[in-house]
Amino acid sequence: MGIGDAIRRALSSWTKKEGPHGDIVLGTRVRLARNSKDVPFPGASSKEQLQSVLDQARSFPDVLKDEGSFVFYDMAEMDALDRDMLVEKHLISPNHARHTFHRGVILRSDEDISIMVNEEDHLRIQVLFPGLQLQQAWKHASRVDDCLESKFGYAFDKERGYLTACPTNVGTGMRASVMLHLPALARVNRLREVLGTVSQFGLVVRGLYGEGSESYGNIYQLSNQVTLGHREEEMIEHLERVTKQIIQSERQAREYLSQPERRLAVEDTVYRAFGVLSFARILSTEEAMQLLSDVRLGMDLGFIHHLDKEILKELMVMIRAAHLQKIMGQNLPPEERDKLRASLVREKLNPQALKKS
Amino acid sequence: MGIGDAIRRALSSWTKKEGPHGDIVLGTRVRLARNSKDVPFPGASSKEQLQSVLDQARSFPDVLKDEGSFVFYDMAEMDALDRDMLVEKHLISPNHARHTFHRGVILRSDEDISIMVNEEDHLRIQVLFPGLQLQQAWKHASRVDDCLESKFGYAFDKERGYLTACPTNVGTGMRASVMLHLPALARVNRLREVLGTVSQFGLVVRGLYGEGSESYGNIYQLSNQVTLGHREEEMIEHLERVTKQIIQSERQAREYLSQPERRLAVEDTVYRAFGVLSFARILSTEEAMQLLSDVRLGMDLGFIHHLDKEILKELMVMIRAAHLQKIMGQNLPPEERDKLRASLVREKLNPQALKKS
């Protein structure tokens, strides 16, 4: 089986659409960790056992046909660049892209739903929606979960709930998260204060690409830490409540930056970022992300018009290394990537399209 | 007498035209210090004596009528902004703009020739030409000098030559200088090495606005240190020889920067500068000068087309504080100037006019 259109397509639907509170919440993710009751966790099972899980998973697109059009891919048959692209699109984990043997992924055609097979757990069901849509994402994940449960036979314990390879996932097996763009809080130096308190509420903050990754472009991922002792709905509601508080803080900071006495300095940053993005010949990922963050803030504050908001979200994914290499159809050394990144951004942000102001 | 068109006009002809070696030599200046034999130097003379010199000078436009159309201005009747503009156009010294009593200036309509009256010396004749034109500038200065000598009666000593208020000018009374734009030498870190040697040749290097001024935008002024013991023609030839060596070094550095392996990094700097100049909302003089220098280098190296070279030279004068205030017709606080500077530059460097590349 070759690599389907779903992978070749540069962008998932969640990056192209703007959801509720989309000026601050780029996306919502809910993932469920599930394991078979008949087979040891992937880290402890034999090749044959892993293969049996993978073979079962081949039938999932059929099992899930009421939930949309799904396709199964064997990771071992996918080339490295395609795998890295799926990571950059947030559809699989970096770990899943590196270790491919007896692993698979099932993607819905719009890429809103993906299922990793034989990652840390046998199944990782993920729903990824634009904007703040925790309830909806949870509902979709739950429906997919119900379909697979009827077929797969989950490892479940009445006391502890769903059993998972890592004890931090035991219970609901659910990790719900929101991807937040917080440029105004960063600019007024309130990020630490606002995000520092979330651990008290059983939540955790990470950079854009999950655990251990730095934050580029003022994008942070907020998710539940605890999976045990609460119902999924409670956790979702709790995460939503805290997210809305952060949204409010970010809105206050944006309001503050829009005041006449501060507006010019912010406009200056925003337009300089636009100028550099529009003309630079060399751009690192880190710098490009920061500049895109500045420009996006400018659009959200109404300083920059005539520029499609989704371009920024698209670019934040497209400027990643694997995406660039996919566009060129070959592996590129870092300096070539920086050059290609700059030319791609330049092409997208045509300054001619900018309203004169 | 009001302020004439010559002052209201934003730019002198030397900044608008491009002379020989104009990609590196922005302009050539020759000035002669002269004093009356009948009156003590300005610093030592009475009000009445200064007034008598000033009154004599009122007739100079008539004396010089074969050399072009000259107009006399009394500095005390000129407002502060107009005086500062003349400084920024390099037509009078900062000192002459600050102390106006019994002082005057005579300007040729194209502003290539100016004569300060009662500055440090009774007369300071200045010729300012675009590009490298030392011989021509000297010839013009000499012709004006001859006209005035016949009328004024210079303080002259057979042994020491022309007598001047400051001993460093005694002899020829001549200071010849060239204004050099050396962005490539700056970029390859060879400025100190190349300019450091000129003092051995009796020459001196200064920033754009003469003694004690910093260098903005990689612009340096090279002039003769010695006025005694050499004929004017010898000094001019000597300065020209050294200037041509510096030109050659700058050309080598530009050649070096144009090599395929370095070209991209230079292009990146040049286009970023263009991007920031085209979109920034706040620009200090210092930053604007550096960015204009980068863009000008990009034009000289053939990276940027469809942009008038003289725009850069114009902007380097126009972004100065007094020019900005003149444009607005009022005194402005620094933050307003930074804002106006950015908007002026933006207007001039219309990115639409830039060839897509």
Side-chain angles (χ1 to χ4, degrees):
Chain A
M1 183 184 298
I3 307 308
D5 284 342
I7 300 174
R8 297 224 181 273
R9 226 183 311 120
L11 295 164
S12 309
S13 80
W14 76 271
T15 52
K16 284 200 237 166
K17 291 182 205 140
E18 174 133 335
H21 300 286
D23 58 333
I24 294 172
V25 185
L26 301 182
T28 296
R29 169 156 54 176
V30 169
R31 73 112 173 94
L32 303 173
R34 297 291 185 257
N35 288 279
S36 165
K37 65 173 162 35
D38 306 318
V39 179
F41 296 136
S45 56
S46 67
K47 286 181 187 176
E48 290 70 27
Q49 286 169 323
L50 288 172
Q51 190 58 48
S52 77
V53 171
L54 198 65
D55 287 341
Q56 256 190 294
R58 285 180 200 274
S59 68
F60 287 176
D62 195 47
V63 174
L64 293 168
K65 63 180 183 296
D66 289 348
E67 296 300 322
S69 167
F70 287 82
V71 178
F72 171 91
Y73 303 95
D74 189 325
M75 294 306 290
E77 291 170 10
M78 207 180 274
D79 74 34
L81 230 46
D82 285 318
R83 297 195 305 263
D84 288 345
M85 272 186 79
L86 292 181
V87 174
E88 292 176 1
K89 289 157 106 175
H90 300 270
L91 297 176
I92 65 172
S93 66
N95 173 44
H96 206 51
R98 272 196 297 276
H99 309 101
T100 61
F101 210 53
H102 296 304
R103 292 186 181 214
V105 65
I106 295 154
L107 299 175
R108 194 164 80 170
S109 57
D110 61 4
E111 300 184 359
D112 280 358
I113 305 181
S114 64
I115 304 164
M116 285 190 282
V117 183
N118 287 335
E119 207 248 17
E120 189 181 290
D121 298 293
H122 291 138
L123 302 181
R124 286 271 177 117
I125 301 163
Q126 174 184 277
V127 175
L128 195 50
F129 280 173
L132 180 62
Q133 301 196 62
L134 280 162
Q135 314 279 353
Q136 297 84 332
W138 159 243
K139 267 178 218 148
H140 275 74
S142 187
R143 281 215 306 270
V144 168
D145 188 40
D146 291 345
C147 293
L148 298 183
E149 185 155 30
S150 66
K151 179 88 180 173
F152 201 64
Y154 287 158
F156 184 81
D157 179 278
K158 272 191 180 152
E159 293 263 305
R160 290 172 290 174
Y162 292 101
L163 302 180
T164 56
C166 179
T168 59
N169 291 317
V170 169
T172 59
M174 183 190 77
R175 183 84 64 211
S177 62
V178 288
M179 211 179 290
L180 302 165
H181 183 226
L182 305 174
L185 284 173
R187 195 176 168 99
V188 302
N189 269 322
R190 288 193 57 215
L191 261 187
R192 194 179 294 263
E193 170 204 333
V194 170
L195 296 181
T197 57
V198 302
S199 63
Q200 299 167 22
F201 303 104
L203 301 178
V204 63
V205 181
R206 297 191 186 89
L208 180 54
Y209 282 82
E211 227 154 326
S213 72
E214 323 98 290
S215 162
Y216 281 160
N218 306 311
I219 295 172
Y220 294 88
Q221 197 177 291
L222 179 71
S223 54
N224 63 307
Q225 177 83 287
V226 182
T227 52
L228 200 61
H230 295 279
R231 287 181 54 243
E232 289 90 340
E233 286 79 3
E234 284 171 17
M235 290 176 184
I236 292 281
E237 268 168 39
H238 179 62
L239 177 60
E240 186 160 293
R241 213 162 32 239
V242 176
T243 301
K244 282 185 173 167
Q245 281 167 13
I246 296 173
I247 291 174
Q248 206 188 344
S249 298
E250 171 68 16
R251 284 207 206 294
Q252 279 169 356
R254 291 184 185 189
E255 186 57 39
Y256 176 83
L257 294 177
S258 305
Q259 298 300 305
E261 62 271 34
R262 285 168 213 100
R263 196 185 151 97
L264 183 69
V266 181
E267 259 188 292
D268 185 52
T269 303
V270 161
Y271 274 101
R272 280 170 182 255
F274 184 83
V276 173
L277 286 171
S278 303
F279 289 100
R281 263 49 186 169
I282 301 171
L283 278 176
S284 69
T285 304
E286 186 175 356
E287 185 188 12
M289 288 295 281
Q290 181 57 52
L291 295 172
L292 287 169
S293 169
D294 289 340
V295 171
R296 174 72 199 241
L297 175 65
M299 293 173 69
D300 289 335
L301 292 181
F303 297 164
I304 291 194
H305 312 277
H306 286 233
L307 196 65
D308 185 358
K309 272 192 189 184
E310 301 323 305
I311 285 179
L312 281 286
K313 225 155 101 179
E314 277 184 42
L315 278 174
M316 284 177 176
V317 170
M318 285 175 77
I319 61 172
R320 298 277 155 179
H323 270 85
L324 291 179
Q325 297 183 96
K326 192 70 204 174
I327 289 165
M328 293 305 283
Q330 56 182 311
N331 287 304
L332 298 169
E335 51 284 16
E336 285 299 311
R337 292 207 293 264
D338 287 354
K339 189 176 158 186
L340 179 61
R341 183 176 295 114
S343 101
L344 184 81
V345 170
R346 231 161 45 233
E347 204 173 286
K348 280 267 172 188
L349 294 188
N350 183 347
Q352 263 84 337
L354 194 73
K355 190 181 160 185
K356 290 283 280 179
S357 54
Chain B
M1 184 182 297
I3 306 309
D5 285 341
I7 299 173
R8 298 225 181 270
R9 227 183 309 120
L11 295 163
S12 309
S13 81
W14 76 272
T15 52
K16 284 201 240 168
K17 292 181 206 144
E18 173 133 337
H21 301 284
D23 58 334
I24 293 171
V25 186
L26 301 182
T28 296
R29 168 156 54 177
V30 169
R31 74 110 174 93
L32 303 173
R34 298 291 185 257
N35 288 281
S36 164
K37 63 174 163 35
D38 305 319
V39 179
F41 296 136
S45 56
S46 67
K47 286 181 189 178
E48 290 70 27
Q49 287 168 322
L50 288 172
Q51 190 59 47
S52 77
V53 171
L54 197 65
D55 287 341
Q56 256 190 293
R58 287 180 198 274
S59 68
F60 287 176
D62 195 49
V63 175
L64 292 169
K65 63 180 183 295
D66 288 347
E67 297 299 322
S69 166
F70 288 82
V71 179
F72 171 91
Y73 303 95
D74 189 325
M75 295 307 290
E77 291 171 10
M78 208 180 275
D79 74 34
L81 230 47
D82 285 318
R83 298 195 303 263
D84 288 344
M85 273 186 77
L86 292 181
V87 174
E88 291 175 1
K89 290 157 106 174
H90 301 269
L91 298 175
I92 65 173
S93 66
N95 174 44
H96 206 52
R98 273 195 299 274
H99 309 102
T100 61
F101 210 53
H102 296 304
R103 294 185 180 214
V105 65
I106 295 153
L107 299 175
R108 194 163 80 169
S109 57
D110 61 5
E111 300 183 0
D112 280 357
I113 304 180
S114 64
I115 303 163
M116 286 189 283
V117 183
N118 288 335
E119 208 248 18
E120 189 181 293
D121 297 293
H122 291 138
L123 301 181
R124 286 272 177 116
I125 302 162
Q126 175 184 277
V127 175
L128 195 50
F129 279 173
L132 181 61
Q133 301 196 62
L134 280 162
Q135 313 279 355
Q136 297 84 333
W138 158 244
K139 266 178 218 148
H140 275 74
S142 186
R143 281 215 305 270
V144 169
D145 188 41
D146 291 345
C147 293
L148 298 182
E149 185 155 30
S150 67
K151 179 87 182 174
F152 201 66
Y154 287 159
F156 185 82
D157 179 279
K158 272 193 178 151
E159 292 262 306
R160 289 172 289 174
Y162 292 101
L163 302 180
T164 56
C166 179
T168 59
N169 291 318
V170 169
T172 59
M174 183 190 76
R175 183 85 64 211
S177 62
V178 288
M179 209 179 293
L180 301 165
H181 183 225
L182 306 174
L185 284 173
R187 194 176 168 99
V188 302
N189 270 323
R190 287 192 58 216
L191 262 186
R192 193 179 293 263
E193 169 203 334
V194 170
L195 296 181
T197 58
V198 303
S199 62
Q200 298 168 22
F201 302 104
L203 301 178
V204 64
V205 181
R206 296 190 186 88
L208 180 54
Y209 283 83
E211 225 154 328
S213 72
E214 322 98 290
S215 161
Y216 281 160
N218 305 310
I219 296 172
Y220 293 88
Q221 197 178 292
L222 179 71
S223 54
N224 63 305
Q225 177 81 288
V226 182
T227 52
L228 201 62
H230 295 278
R231 287 182 52 243
E232 289 89 340
E233 287 80 2
E234 283 171 17
M235 290 176 185
I236 291 282
E237 270 169 39
H238 179 62
L239 177 59
E240 186 160 294
R241 214 162 31 240
V242 176
T243 300
K244 283 185 171 166
Q245 281 167 13
I246 296 173
I247 291 174
Q248 205 187 347
S249 298
E250 171 68 15
R251 284 206 206 294
Q252 279 170 355
R254 291 183 184 190
E255 186 58 38
Y256 176 84
L257 293 176
S258 306
Q259 299 300 306
E261 63 271 33
R262 284 170 213 99
R263 194 184 154 97
L264 183 69
V266 181
E267 258 187 291
D268 184 53
T269 304
V270 162
Y271 274 100
R272 279 170 182 255
F274 184 82
V276 173
L277 286 171
S278 303
F279 288 100
R281 262 50 186 169
I282 302 171
L283 278 175
S284 69
T285 305
E286 185 174 358
E287 185 189 11
M289 288 296 281
Q290 181 57 52
L291 295 172
L292 288 169
S293 169
D294 289 340
V295 171
R296 174 71 199 243
L297 175 65
M299 294 174 68
D300 289 335
L301 291 181
F303 297 162
I304 291 193
H305 312 278
H306 286 233
L307 195 65
D308 184 359
K309 271 193 191 184
E310 301 323 306
I311 284 178
L312 279 288
K313 225 155 100 177
E314 277 184 41
L315 278 174
M316 284 176 175
V317 170
M318 284 175 78
I319 61 172
R320 298 276 155 182
H323 271 85
L324 292 179
Q325 296 182 99
K326 192 71 203 172
I327 290 165
M328 294 304 284
Q330 56 183 312
N331 287 305
L332 298 170
E335 53 280 21
E336 286 299 310
R337 292 206 294 263
D338 287 354
K339 188 176 158 184
L340 179 62
R341 181 177 295 114
S343 101
L344 185 80
V345 170
R346 230 161 44 234
E347 204 173 288
K348 280 266 172 190
L349 295 188
N350 183 349
Q352 262 85 337
L354 193 73
K355 189 180 162 186
K356 290 281 282 181
S357 54

